[in-house]
Amino acid sequence: MKNTLAERLATFLAAYQPFSEIPFEELVSVAATLQIRTLEKNQILFKVDDPLHPFFYIVASGAINLSVVADAEETLLNRCETGEILGLRPFFAKNNYMMTAKAREESIVYGIPIDTFRPLLLTNSQVLDFLLQSFASTAPRNSLSTMGKSGLVNDTVRGPEGSTELQYFQSLSYDKKPLFVKASDTVQVVAQQMTDNLKQSAVILHNNMLLGVVTEHDLSSKIATGRLPLTAACQLIASKNYVFVPENTSLAEAQLSIIRHNAPLLLVSADGTETTAITGVIHLSDLISAQANNPGLLIKEIKKALSVSELKDLREKMTDFIQLAIEKKVPLSHVCAITGEVNMALIKRCIDLAVLDYGSPPCRFAFLSTGSQGRKEQLLKTDQDHFLVYEDVAIDRVTAVREYFLRLSKRTTQFLSDIGYSECPNKHMANNLNWCKSFSDWIQQYSDWTSKPGLKNQENPGIFFDFELAAGEAKIEESLWEHVMSVVPKNKKFLAYLANEAIKRPPALGFFSKFNLEEDGEYKDLFDIKNRAILTYVEIARVIALSREIKGSTNTYSRFKQLAMLEPKHADVYQVASEAFLMLLKIRTNEGYKSGSDAAYIATDELSKSDRERLKSAILPLKELEEIVKSKFQLTFFS
């Protein structure tokens, strides 16, 4: 006979993550074992310091508040509503609950047995990833090894929108200098050494043989409870619940090892076995800390940030991610794509905060990023480039609408500046009346640029052809692109103008392939990697992509990749150019983090010999690209 109740419960679970990732037949088996609990308003499901339940929970109806009490004041961390999960601590930690779950109203929750659910994680990495990120997002920061007592993660228990693919690239920061102690050392001595060295554990060795590991949990559960005295030998309280992993273990692999073996920590060795020396310890808190810096979670935190100071802290977290990703050789195209999404989320949240100050917009609009932000190539804190388009309104509303969006743009620009994005020196920002106007005015602007290129005193409008929506109406962005693609590809004179601007930049290399350095001024004897190399690639990719009617991505790397498919004759040149461009970005980014600047100018004599050779190799394809440009466009218009 079918268990119709279990099937109904499984149908409910299947509508929500992570259960939607599990085959329905397996969900029915889980549903047959779950516990149904009805809670009255203000009834507590579990509270701080309660022993862990054998269940985790999903809200079936109503709402559950998660809170902590500090200095006699209750602080609400989160509210879990229908379909959201809570109470994941028993999965990932051994100590008691660290927050209180209390019904906000009459509620029903389903308790899902952890022993029943755990085996499903071993065959489904997406479910595992969701649960660990959910746990990370609701864990108090002061439970993390590296965060310190700085408040609480402001996040929900929902999973991030981003892909989990990155976690198979993302490496872990962990304790690479384990504390080693002797078996004869007393618990008191070991505890003091752990405190003095800020360690969460101590590895017990005897004649280079591993006897066990003492953890903070062992101290609290076996000593603080009075089961053994402080004078006991540490070996008596040591745990043997650990797993060996190799030194290059990724975040996802570490997660899976902890779940598969129900182990509180991982021991790191060169080959992942106990036959080689222990070189590190990975604690659960290291995984949670890594998750807290995961871009998917960063975007979620950004969306819920309530102040510019919070956004500034989150921007710093992204900086940490970029540095780690580059060090661990994550493909730079991948890093650029993810960083671009985080940058866009920061811009959008700044706009949201500005709207809170000035009220709802009077009409639909689009806030568009340009320059490196629009191309998703902004790995450093470079300057802002953006413009705003608002829909056409009745003549009697024009002045009020324009004034609103100028105020909004000024506040947004200030917020972005406070986060760390300096204002554009050329004033290519939406707080400039020239770059904050109606859709019709923008159509006229693009028509003017394309019909009258190269006018005296007219600056190169190229970056305004690299735009991407940061906030607002996607239809406005789409309509603007439709206009651009209707007037640019067939306008040979304008394309020739863009092409001429691209190849007339000062050359990067001189005779004997020596770097052309700045001869005077503030940057004397430095190499202008931005203008002499990076932007030449950007502008060549842009003009050829526009001529081929490529839209959908303004990223330079992606443009070259698409051109390689469209033009087999030049495919090899475009492929090499795409990789060379990424190499230039990588060199600039590394130098920027070393110097704490935007690294537009770099000291080539301070580069390693291999980096100097890489820099030269990344510049050399420009010569072939320039020949392609000369053959494609009638540069005699502007000779």
Side-chain angles (χ1 to χ4, degrees):
M1 181 181 294
K2 288 186 177 181
N3 187 338
T4 55
L5 175 60
E7 289 185 347
R8 287 202 301 271
L9 294 174
T11 299
F12 169 81
L13 294 176
Y16 302 99
Q17 285 190 295
F19 309 102
S20 57
E21 306 294 335
I22 299 172
F24 187 75
E25 297 76 14
E26 295 182 24
L27 270 187
V28 173
S29 299
V30 171
T33 66
L34 62 75
Q35 179 190 87
I36 303 175
R37 292 195 57 179
T38 301
L39 302 174
E40 301 295 329
K41 182 177 180 179
N42 293 326
Q43 185 176 345
I44 290 175
L45 179 62
F46 55 79
K47 64 180 185 295
V48 175
D49 290 333
D50 271 359
L52 300 178
H53 297 184
F55 305 94
F56 72 103
Y57 299 95
I58 180 171
V59 180
S61 66
I64 306 295
N65 285 343
L66 299 179
S67 61
V68 294
V69 176
D71 300 325
E73 181 178 340
E74 184 175 24
T75 300
L76 180 65
L77 303 180
N78 195 11
R79 178 188 302 159
C80 298
E81 299 178 343
T82 301
E84 296 184 321
I85 58 175
L86 67 152
L88 289 170
R89 179 161 287 275
F91 260 116
F92 304 108
K94 302 301 180 185
N95 51 328
N96 296 346
Y97 287 110
M98 297 185 68
M99 61 182 70
T100 295
K102 182 166 59 176
R104 183 174 182 269
E105 57 195 63
E106 186 174 321
S107 305
I108 297 175
V109 297
Y110 297 155
I112 300 171
I114 287 173
D115 288 343
T116 301
F117 200 77
R118 191 187 300 275
L120 301 182
L121 305 185
L122 304 183
T123 57
N124 196 316
S125 62
Q126 288 179 301
V127 176
L128 164 63
D129 183 67
F130 179 93
L131 292 184
L132 194 107
Q133 292 191 26
S134 297
F135 179 57
S137 70
T138 55
R141 283 187 191 262
N142 60 12
S143 71
L144 307 183
S145 60
T146 59
M147 292 296 186
K149 297 181 179 180
S150 57
L152 298 150
V153 175
N154 179 23
D155 215 344
T156 72
V157 293
R158 295 186 186 276
E161 292 83 349
S163 167
T164 61
E165 174 189 0
L166 177 66
Q167 303 202 18
Y168 289 89
F169 294 103
Q170 188 175 347
S171 296
L172 284 165
S173 293
Y174 59 86
D175 184 359
K176 296 181 180 178
K177 295 183 178 179
L179 174 62
F180 295 105
V181 297
K182 297 179 291 187
S184 58
D185 287 340
T186 66
V187 170
Q188 184 173 16
V189 168
V190 172
Q192 188 62 54
Q193 288 188 49
M194 287 171 62
T195 300
D196 293 343
N197 291 281
L198 300 176
K199 300 294 185 181
Q200 299 181 64
S201 61
V203 179
I204 304 173
L205 295 181
H206 179 67
N207 294 330
N208 291 324
M209 287 184 56
L210 175 64
L211 300 182
V213 180
V214 175
T215 66
E216 292 175 333
H217 177 68
D218 295 322
L219 293 174
S220 62
S221 64
K222 300 170 186 176
I223 301 300
T225 57
R227 288 170 55 186
L228 290 169
L230 284 170
T231 54
C234 64
Q235 186 178 355
L236 295 177
I237 70 165
S239 168
K240 293 192 177 181
N241 189 13
Y242 44 75
V243 179
F244 275 87
V245 294
E247 291 177 341
N248 61 351
T249 293
S250 69
L251 172 58
E253 291 165 336
Q255 292 172 3
L256 192 57
S257 294
I258 279 185
I259 292 295
R260 178 178 289 132
H261 302 285
N262 193 22
L265 57 81
L266 306 173
L267 295 180
V268 182
S269 66
D271 62 358
T273 73
E274 56 186 306
T275 59
T276 52
I278 296 169
T279 58
V281 182
I282 300 174
H283 298 90
L284 175 68
S285 57
D286 297 320
L287 272 64
I288 298 171
S289 179
Q291 288 287 4
N293 288 317
N294 180 280
L297 285 177
L298 278 183
I299 289 175
K300 289 177 62 189
E301 291 190 51
I302 288 167
K303 289 179 178 179
K304 297 180 75 68
L306 298 177
S307 68
V308 174
S309 60
E310 284 184 64
L311 292 177
K312 184 176 182 180
D313 291 341
L314 293 169
R315 176 62 180 82
E316 293 301 327
K317 280 190 178 183
M318 186 176 74
T319 299
D320 295 339
F321 159 73
I322 295 169
Q323 287 183 281
L324 179 62
I326 291 176
E327 287 173 10
K328 300 305 179 183
K329 296 180 171 58
V330 176
L332 199 64
S333 57
H334 199 95
V335 180
C336 285
I338 292 169
T339 304
E341 294 301 325
V342 178
N343 275 322
M344 290 298 187
L346 286 165
I347 295 168
K348 185 178 186 307
R349 193 56 183 161
C350 284
I351 294 170
D352 291 342
L353 294 178
V355 167
L356 288 175
D357 289 340
Y358 293 123
S360 299
C363 63
R364 291 177 296 178
F365 74 100
F367 192 96
L368 300 158
S369 284
T370 63
S372 59
Q373 282 182 339
R375 296 189 302 272
K376 293 187 176 176
E377 295 163 2
Q378 191 179 49
L379 298 178
L380 295 165
K381 287 183 183 175
T382 51
D383 58 353
Q384 304 176 42
D385 291 293
H386 44 73
F387 63 98
L388 189 143
V389 187
Y390 52 86
E391 67 179 345
D392 295 315
V393 296
I395 190 81
D396 61 327
R397 297 179 59 207
V398 167
T399 300
V401 168
R402 181 174 59 240
E403 288 178 354
Y404 170 88
F405 284 114
L406 275 172
R407 289 198 308 271
L408 185 76
S409 298
K410 287 176 181 177
R411 182 59 58 91
T412 300
T413 300
Q414 183 58 56
F415 286 164
L416 289 169
S417 181
D418 292 341
I419 290 173
Y421 300 107
S422 60
E423 294 191 15
C424 174
N426 296 317
K427 306 300 181 184
H428 293 151
M429 299 175 294
N431 63 343
N432 182 335
L433 183 61
N434 291 329
W435 314 129
C436 178
K437 47 196 176 187
S438 70
F439 182 78
S440 293
D441 287 340
W442 272 109
I443 294 297
Q444 185 61 51
Q445 177 69 76
Y446 276 96
S447 296
D448 288 345
W449 277 331
T450 53
S451 63
K452 305 169 187 176
L455 290 179
K456 190 175 181 180
N457 299 324
Q458 176 181 282
E459 61 179 311
N460 182 357
I463 67 164
F464 289 95
F465 292 83
D466 290 341
F467 59 83
E468 181 160 334
L469 183 71
E473 291 289 328
K475 288 185 178 179
I476 293 178
E477 179 202 28
E478 291 168 9
S479 297
L480 204 57
W481 268 120
E482 286 177 10
H483 175 71
V484 168
M485 288 304 174
S486 71
V487 297
V488 172
K490 301 177 182 63
N491 191 323
K492 294 182 179 180
K493 189 172 183 179
F494 180 68
L495 290 172
Y497 167 73
L498 292 180
N500 188 68
E501 291 294 303
I503 67 172
K504 79 175 187 181
R505 286 184 173 277
L509 299 177
F511 290 112
F512 308 111
S513 293
K514 288 187 176 181
F515 295 109
N516 283 328
L517 308 180
E518 299 303 294
E519 296 181 352
D520 50 36
E522 180 183 358
Y523 302 107
K524 186 176 186 298
D525 296 329
L526 297 180
F527 177 65
D528 186 352
I529 190 173
K530 177 181 177 181
N531 285 297
R532 290 181 182 267
I534 291 174
L535 287 183
T536 305
Y537 276 109
V538 167
E539 295 187 355
I540 289 176
R542 177 194 297 140
V543 66
I544 301 177
L546 287 172
S547 73
R548 295 304 306 256
E549 300 184 50
I550 293 175
K551 61 179 180 178
S553 175
T554 58
N555 178 266
T556 303
Y557 173 83
S558 297
R559 278 172 163 168
F560 278 127
K561 287 292 187 182
Q562 291 179 71
L563 287 170
M565 291 187 287
L566 288 173
E567 299 184 5
K569 177 182 177 182
H570 302 304
D572 289 345
V573 178
Y574 293 142
Q575 290 283 10
V576 171
S578 67
E579 298 303 327
F581 176 75
L582 289 185
M583 178 56 67
L584 290 172
L585 275 190
K586 184 175 181 179
I587 292 171
R588 181 184 178 186
T589 302
N590 282 332
E591 292 305 301
Y593 285 132
K594 287 179 189 176
S595 62
S597 70
D598 68 357
Y601 296 84
I602 63 174
T604 54
D605 58 344
E606 294 179 7
L607 295 175
S608 66
K609 182 178 179 181
S610 59
D611 277 345
R612 282 198 299 274
E613 291 305 313
R614 290 190 186 98
L615 178 56
K616 285 183 181 179
S617 296
I619 291 169
L620 291 175
L622 285 174
K623 188 171 183 179
E624 288 184 272
L625 283 175
E626 289 176 7
E627 292 303 315
I628 292 174
V629 168
K630 290 175 182 177
S631 68
K632 279 181 171 291
F633 305 104
Q634 299 176 27
L635 303 187
T636 51
F637 278 125
F638 300 95
S639 58

